[in-house]
Amino acid sequence: MKFVIIGGDAAGMSAASRAKRIVPEMEVIVLEKSEDVSYSACGMPYNIADADRDIDDLVVRTASVFRNKQGIDLFTGCCAEAIDVKNGAVTGTIDNRESFRFFYDRLLIATGGQPIIPDLPGFDHPGVVALKSLADGRRIKNYIKDNDVKKAVIIGMGYVGLEMAEALRARSIEVEMVKPGPDLLPWMPRELAAEVRRELDANQARLHLGCEIKGIDKTADHLHIVCNDRILAADMVLVAIGIEPNSQLAADAGIETGVGSAIAVNHKLQTSNEAVYAAGDCADAYHVVTGQKTWIPLALRANRAGWAVADNVCGKETSLEGVAGTAVFKVFDLEVARTGLSLEESRRYGFEPVDVTINSRSRAHAHPGAQPIWVNLIGDRRTGRLLGTQMVGREGVAHRINAAAVALQAQMSVKAFSETDLAYAPPFGPVWDPLLTAANQLLKKMT
Ligand SMILES: Cc1cc2nc3c(=O)[nH]c(=O)nc-3n(C[C@H](O)[C@H](O)[C@H](O)COP(=O)(O)OP(=O)(O)OC[C@H]3O[C@@H](n4cnc5c(N)ncnc54)[C@H](O)[C@@H]3O)c2cc1C
């Protein structure tokens, strides 16, 4: 059995390692176009925040460990350019010079995603950067140091942009953020988004909402971000407007793509060609609330899907139920989290959503250090099902969201969720946990 994997990060290396563990004699070949494998992309903003930390601290396992200790045939600098599904082969070039052709019995496409860069003038300037790969992280750190960056503009206000605002402020860099839409975190109830806004304001991250970007001009000493109604000057521009799946290779081979152009996979992670699997940010998934296809590129799914592919390739039949879109991120001292559907998504998927937003506390009444926690809970009036939860607070948000994620996975009703036996002690929450208080209030509204 020859198992070929394209892409050597979270999904690809998880699959390679697990396949070798289950069937040590299997020939496992990984083709990775960059020089970096198996690193924590999620840790990059926190590494960039610290000028003294080496970016390579984020490497989880080096290429030589995969090769010499695990027996994986890992080829870096190896870009896959075409998949010949008829003959079961992958072709491409090594170090932009020599061509290669590898035959496979089973193939995994784990090519991840790539940052979206607007097709506008000036975005090809070296001071205009994006953060996706470890090479990007290295480039940004070097650019800040070599150009003595004092002022940065971040285009986009998603979680990578917000984490980078904190990172750059930690380096005493002035930060302005800009986006064309009118709302910060539009999927969030306005009370919760207002808390995030307050935190950004308190940390001198200046927001420009509703600003259409026309291009970037380079003057003698600055980059000028030209918007419809203003011009912002910066030493560096970070583009953080999202990613798109790297699915072209699959599409060119006649493999079906679906939601957001991600590679369409079944519960076993098989594509429309049964010898070819896809996992991670390049592939879609089923949503546990809607039962429909979705594309939510996050790390746990990539690792888990890589494992599941290895199991299936090794004959251990495995199906993955899906994702709830559970995510958490930090905005300076705030924890921001979500799982399941937002109100707008609930409507779009045909539910009859009812929601409640409460303001509770992270610790018991009168316990020192208690901080406010905002909880938004959404239920379906027709079926009584829990549909989604969002939370913002200074502590106790990041792990609390997981209780709601488990409830969604179990397709719980709001009533069943309100009856769950959650832990209590004064330093960790009120006796009625904020999630239970929200569920009780939502129940009243739904009936
Ligand atoms: C700054 C940042 C912060 C993040 N924070 C979080 C977080 O807090 N929580 C969370 O859940 N997720 C987070 N993520 C997302 C998470 O990192 C991704 O979901 C995860 O890395 C996806 O893994 P992957 O293996 O699918 O794709 P990738 O990590 O993108 O890896 C794909 C690999 O394929 C290679 N490749 C692509 N095309 C080819 C080709 N043609 N030939 C050969 N090789 C190819 C690429 O070079 C790359 O190494 C963050 C991402 C970033 C960028």
Side-chain angles (χ1 to χ4, degrees):
M1 166 73 82
K2 211 180 225 183
F3 180 26
V4 174
I5 299 169
I6 308 173
D9 194 26
M13 294 322 297
S14 293
S17 298
R18 191 160 169 106
K20 264 301 200 192
R21 211 173 316 130
I22 302 172
V23 183
E25 60 280 13
M26 185 181 284
E27 193 176 349
V28 178
I29 297 166
V30 179
L31 312 173
E32 168 53 51
K33 71 176 176 186
S34 74
E35 292 307 317
D36 301 303
V37 288
S38 186
Y39 56 89
S40 168
C42 316
M44 289 193 293
Y46 305 98
N47 182 294
I48 291 168
D50 183 347
D52 297 330
R53 242 181 98 187
D54 187 342
I55 194 89
D56 287 317
D57 284 358
L58 296 169
V59 174
V60 179
R61 207 172 289 176
T62 60
S64 69
V65 172
F66 285 116
R67 287 181 190 127
N68 305 330
K69 291 214 167 125
Q70 293 181 239
I72 294 165
D73 296 326
L74 167 60
F75 298 93
T76 52
C78 217
C79 185
E81 286 160 357
I83 302 167
D84 171 1
V85 287
K86 213 161 125 235
N87 295 302
V90 179
T91 52
T93 41
I94 305 177
D95 296 330
N96 294 320
R97 283 179 283 113
E98 270 173 67
S99 18
F100 67 76
R101 184 181 180 85
F102 285 104
F103 287 94
Y104 64 82
D105 296 305
R106 294 288 178 272
L107 175 69
L108 167 61
I109 306 174
T111 45
Q114 59 186 327
I116 299 168
I117 307 292
D119 187 15
L120 291 170
F123 277 74
D124 52 354
H125 187 275
V128 182
V129 294
L131 181 62
K132 177 69 183 78
S133 63
L134 198 62
D136 294 333
R138 238 177 245 126
R139 197 173 307 124
I140 290 173
K141 279 196 110 157
N142 289 337
Y143 195 87
I144 292 173
K145 188 171 70 171
D146 298 345
N147 296 279
D148 190 23
V149 170
K150 295 211 161 27
K151 207 166 174 224
V153 166
I154 299 174
I155 302 178
M157 297 180 197
Y159 78 89
V160 172
L162 293 166
E163 288 177 353
M164 280 302 291
E166 182 187 338
L168 297 176
R169 290 298 298 127
R171 304 273 306 254
S172 302
I173 294 170
E174 266 181 59
V175 170
E176 296 194 83
M177 303 184 78
V178 57
K179 70 174 270 194
D183 295 319
L184 173 65
L185 301 170
W187 44 268
M188 193 167 241
R190 292 304 83 202
E191 301 99 298
L192 274 65
E195 286 309 310
V196 181
R197 172 81 202 235
R198 257 192 284 281
E199 187 70 6
L200 289 163
D201 290 345
N203 286 281
Q204 290 91 43
R206 279 191 60 207
L207 265 50
H208 302 270
L209 292 148
C211 274
E212 196 79 37
I213 295 133
K214 303 286 183 196
I216 298 174
D217 268 354
K218 169 90 180 104
T219 63
D221 54 351
H222 274 118
L223 293 166
H224 278 171
I225 299 85
V226 182
C227 305
N228 53 332
D229 58 350
R230 66 199 81 181
I231 293 177
L232 307 171
D235 304 313
M236 184 179 88
V237 178
L238 175 76
V239 185
I241 58 172
I243 64 163
E244 57 194 6
N246 277 326
S247 55
Q248 198 55 47
L249 195 60
D252 290 346
I255 291 167
E256 265 174 41
T257 56
V259 182
S261 301
I263 304 168
V265 291
N266 62 18
H267 287 285
K268 291 187 199 156
L269 289 314
Q270 263 166 330
T271 66
S272 55
N273 182 307
E274 65 176 3
V276 182
Y277 294 79
D281 285 2
C282 64
D284 67 9
Y286 287 92
H287 198 291
V288 294
V289 178
T290 64
Q292 295 187 33
K293 283 297 190 72
T294 187
W295 179 63
I296 305 177
L298 288 171
L300 174 60
R301 167 71 186 191
N303 284 274
R304 179 177 279 147
W307 274 18
V309 170
D311 284 354
N312 285 319
V313 167
C314 296
K316 243 176 110 194
E317 212 166 282
T318 301
S319 279
L320 291 185
E321 210 177 319
V323 297
T326 311
V328 62
F329 54 93
K330 193 166 158 283
V331 182
F332 295 93
D333 289 332
L334 270 192
E335 298 173 11
V336 182
R338 70 169 291 181
T339 187
L341 304 181
S342 68
L343 203 56
E344 191 275 319
E345 286 164 341
S346 303
R347 285 194 196 103
R348 186 154 26 102
Y349 282 99
F351 294 103
E352 209 181 294
V354 184
D355 81 316
V356 76
T357 298
I358 64 144
N359 182 353
S360 179
R361 307 204 41 92
S362 63
R363 304 182 190 187
H365 171 71
H367 193 88
Q371 299 287 340
I373 287 191
W374 283 262
V375 182
N376 172 259
L377 213 62
I378 307 168
D380 181 31
R381 194 189 293 280
R382 258 198 311 268
T383 60
R385 265 181 76 189
L386 183 67
L387 298 177
T389 305
Q390 299 181 18
M391 298 175 80
V392 171
R394 281 177 199 282
E395 63 173 16
V397 163
H399 293 290
R400 218 170 230 118
I401 198 72
N402 289 333
V406 172
L408 290 175
Q409 189 96 12
Q411 318 258 314
M412 268 190 184
S413 64
V414 176
K415 182 163 187 307
F417 187 49
S418 76
E419 291 167 357
T420 50
D421 184 24
L422 302 189
Y424 161 67
F428 305 111
V431 67
W432 286 96
D433 189 272
L435 282 171
L436 296 178
T437 303
N440 286 334
Q441 293 200 15
L442 182 57
L443 261 185
K444 282 191 223 149
K445 245 180 128 176
M446 286 169 74
T447 47

